[in-house]
Amino acid sequence: MTTGTSLRHVLATLGEPLVRVLVAPRGLGVPVADVVLLDPEDPPEAHPGDLVLVTVARARAAGAAIRAAGRGGAAAVAVKGEPGAAEGIAADAGVALLAVGDEARWEQVEALARGVVDAARAGGEAESGEVLGDLFSLAQTIATLTGGLVSIEDTASRVLAYSRSSDEVDELRRLSILGREGPERYLAMLREWGVYQRLRAGEGIVRIDERPELGIRRRIAAGVHAGSQPLGTIWVQEGAAPLTEQAEVALLGASRTLVPRLIRARTLPTPELRLREDLLVSLLDGRLDAESVADDIGADPARAAVVVAFALTGERTQADRQLHRAELVHLIAVHTAAYRRSALVSVVGGRVYALLPDLPGTTGHAEGRIVALAKEIVAAARRHLDVGVRAALGGVVPRLSDAAASRGDADRVLAAMVRGRWDSDIASLADVRAEVLLSEILAYLTEQPRIRDPRLAVLVAHDAEHGGILVPAVLAYLDAFGDVRAAARALNIHPNTVRYRVRRAAEVSGLSFADPTERLLTHLLLRL
């Protein structure tokens, strides 16, 4: 079972002008399992399947690294500059030698090559060698349908993927691929012509005429949008042959197809961040002990901790929710890390949870500081992300192992806020404790029908058959603590009518509203 891809696929995907093959003594079918950036000061070493990027100033100085790569079973070595004797050294060492464009940045080459290898590891390869779900594969498909040269960029004009071609590449495309982002002088011209404004305005095709004097061939482009939020752009450069008749239709369809892929690209965390997120989820779910988590994040498991839950408010599309939630995770992580280095942030069930361990001082002092922190986050989300957010503070627990209990408190607080009995974006358990306790009692009564008073069922059934006027009167009477006039104002009826309906309800059901216990239980059960 392969753990990566082949050198052939890496070359076919990246292609010229970024990289070309100089020698390949073992052929292009050798597996590539990893991408390694080798600094000149690093000891020259390699492992089986490595694609080694040697960052020496000149290829002819890479001899030691090439020999070490051959001994270690590496798939290939990539260098810049005139190869000189490096080709012969690579042939003798039995390792492929690749030439990288001089204007390309090594960190960008590494990122693109690693993207190809990681995509293959995650999705496997089809028989044709195309990586399933790979952005490069999609770019090649768009190129086939449009007859042009395709680049996919993010909102910062960074090149995420491109189609391979030996066709006429203009200066804008060549420099964009080599630098992995559009050159500033060309970007400035596109901004001046209003191209980016039109791309970000909404769905549709933008046409850019040929400018031979500027080294720009004819192009069409389409913005990629999740709702109202731009995600990136697809550019199609015309080559030697005209674009196909269906090029614009194909490009529009591609821009829609690309939406979920770019959302995933923006919202998937790095491996390190994913590990920290998994630690928090495992702790809150009880799958990992607190000591193990504390050891990983550098926290003291014996000190107090708290969990804060955050939820987006307002209506939005699923794509918007995903993007806003991912942005909110980063925003919360920045704020909480400034407060506690060992803070953890993760998404569970559509909510964002922040664990703050190692709380200092007394419980009251800690809660006050965390409320202030939550206010900062909610305000920053509204100001920078233009989204509404609710923040719910769980109770401060004495040890990290009790974090799940604090998370449960935070969930209950959020539920109370959603029910509308709290008019602020931030609440703690102390703020809505009565609402939370009532909710817990009602949930228990809902799950335990055998302990409910059957006389209430009689009253409700009778009322349903006779106009439904007795139960509302009783509930208003109990809500007003027996104040008939207050109940009458709430119902907009005469006080004598309230008295009659309450008295009639007692007669029908056999309940005694003069008895404190029966009055309390009736009030709770009617809340169901």
Side-chain angles (χ1 to χ4, degrees):
M1 178 178 178
T2 182
T3 56
T5 185
S6 65
L7 181 59
R8 177 181 292 105
H9 179 65
V10 173
L11 291 169
T13 302
L14 300 183
E16 296 191 36
L18 187 66
V19 62
R20 59 191 175 90
V21 62
L22 298 176
V23 296
R26 291 190 289 144
L28 300 181
V30 292
V32 178
D34 198 7
V35 182
V36 178
L37 197 63
L38 185 65
D39 188 89
E41 297 181 1
D42 293 338
E45 60 179 11
H47 299 90
D50 280 355
L51 168 55
V52 183
L53 311 180
V54 183
T55 63
V56 293
R58 297 185 305 277
R60 63 193 63 183
I66 295 172
R67 294 187 185 93
R71 290 193 300 270
V77 175
V79 295
K80 284 187 181 182
E82 289 299 321
E87 288 189 53
I89 296 173
D92 292 340
V95 64
L97 185 66
L98 311 179
V100 173
D102 288 339
E103 293 165 298
R105 298 199 298 273
W106 280 114
E107 64 272 18
Q108 309 296 4
V109 178
E110 179 192 23
L112 286 171
R114 189 175 298 283
V116 176
V117 174
D118 288 348
R121 184 180 293 117
E125 290 184 11
E127 291 183 3
S128 65
E130 295 293 337
V131 177
L132 301 178
D134 184 14
L135 285 179
F136 282 94
S137 176
L138 179 59
Q140 196 61 40
T141 300
I142 302 169
T144 301
L145 295 174
T146 60
L149 313 177
V150 175
S151 298
I152 300 173
E153 298 181 0
D154 63 12
T155 53
S157 299
R158 290 185 292 259
V159 178
L160 302 175
Y162 50 86
S163 63
R164 57 186 184 274
S165 176
S166 58
D167 211 336
E168 298 182 23
V169 176
D170 69 9
E171 191 69 0
L172 172 56
R173 177 178 170 85
R174 189 182 73 83
L175 293 176
S176 296
I177 291 174
L178 287 174
R180 210 193 166 195
E181 61 184 4
E184 181 52 40
R185 70 186 184 94
Y186 284 103
L187 297 182
M189 285 188 289
L190 293 173
R191 285 193 292 269
E192 182 182 337
W193 299 337
V195 172
Y196 285 112
Q197 182 179 1
R198 283 178 281 157
L199 286 170
R200 288 172 177 153
E203 190 176 75
I205 303 301
V206 176
R207 302 169 187 86
I208 300 98
D209 294 332
E210 184 176 16
R211 304 290 181 99
E213 73 281 7
L214 299 175
I216 297 178
R217 297 182 68 91
R218 178 188 171 221
R219 273 173 171 71
I220 58 175
V224 183
H225 298 266
S228 60
Q229 185 158 355
L231 299 175
T233 307
I234 309 176
W235 300 90
V236 181
Q237 179 216 307
E238 188 173 72
L243 300 177
T244 65
E245 291 183 4
Q246 297 299 312
E248 293 192 0
V249 175
L251 180 56
L252 180 61
S255 70
R256 295 169 179 172
T257 301
L258 196 56
V259 171
R261 303 186 189 209
L262 290 191
I263 288 176
R264 285 198 297 273
R266 288 180 60 168
T267 58
L268 285 177
T270 63
E272 293 80 8
L273 183 56
R274 191 180 303 119
L275 173 61
R276 291 180 66 84
E277 290 183 353
D278 289 344
L279 286 174
L280 177 54
V281 174
S282 298
L283 176 65
L284 297 182
D285 287 348
R287 291 183 281 112
L288 193 62
D289 62 277
E291 285 70 22
S292 297
V293 174
D295 183 61
D296 268 292
I297 64 176
D300 184 350
R303 295 184 68 180
V306 70
V307 173
V308 185
F310 297 87
L312 293 168
T313 62
E315 296 296 324
R316 49 179 54 84
T317 65
Q318 181 180 0
D320 278 339
R321 278 198 304 273
Q322 285 181 278
L323 288 171
H324 289 152
R325 193 179 297 123
E327 293 170 336
L328 181 61
V329 167
H330 294 310
L331 185 146
I332 293 170
V334 168
H335 280 77
T336 54
Y339 175 62
R340 278 290 166 272
R341 184 187 298 274
S342 51
L344 290 177
V345 180
S346 188
V347 178
V348 183
R351 293 175 175 177
V352 183
Y353 293 92
L355 169 68
L356 300 170
D358 287 336
L359 295 185
T362 63
T363 297
H365 174 76
E367 286 183 346
R369 181 63 189 92
I370 295 162
V371 167
L373 177 64
K375 288 180 179 178
E376 291 173 12
I377 292 171
V378 169
R382 188 181 300 110
R383 184 169 60 252
H384 299 301
L385 307 182
D386 194 27
V387 295
V389 177
R390 289 190 182 98
L393 281 63
V396 174
V397 291
R399 299 176 57 86
L400 188 60
S401 57
D402 298 321
S406 183
R407 180 261 180 106
D409 291 340
D411 284 335
R412 295 182 185 97
V413 173
L414 260 185
M417 296 172 73
V418 171
R419 283 193 293 269
R421 294 181 176 270
W422 187 253
D423 57 4
S424 172
D425 292 328
I426 300 154
S428 67
L429 182 60
D431 294 323
V432 292
R433 191 180 299 276
E435 180 71 18
V436 168
L437 289 175
L438 177 59
S439 176
E440 293 289 297
I441 293 169
L442 294 180
Y444 178 77
L445 291 174
T446 300
E447 296 168 0
Q448 303 291 335
R450 65 181 184 81
I451 65 173
R452 298 182 206 165
D453 193 327
R455 292 175 295 179
L456 261 296
V458 171
L459 174 61
V460 171
H462 177 277
D463 207 32
E465 295 176 3
H466 296 83
I469 59 174
L470 301 184
V471 169
V474 171
L475 192 52
Y477 174 77
L478 295 173
D479 282 344
F481 303 103
D483 186 333
V484 174
R485 293 187 181 278
R489 285 195 298 270
L491 296 173
N492 197 27
I493 58 178
H494 195 276
N496 286 340
T497 305
V498 174
R499 292 188 181 94
Y500 168 76
R501 291 178 182 178
V502 171
R503 187 167 60 251
R504 180 62 181 147
E507 292 170 357
V508 168
S509 63
L511 290 164
S512 172
F513 299 125
D515 182 280
T517 304
E518 287 195 11
R519 192 165 60 239
L520 174 61
L521 292 176
T522 300
H523 201 179
L524 285 172
L525 290 168
L526 286 181
R527 288 263 184 185
L528 290 177

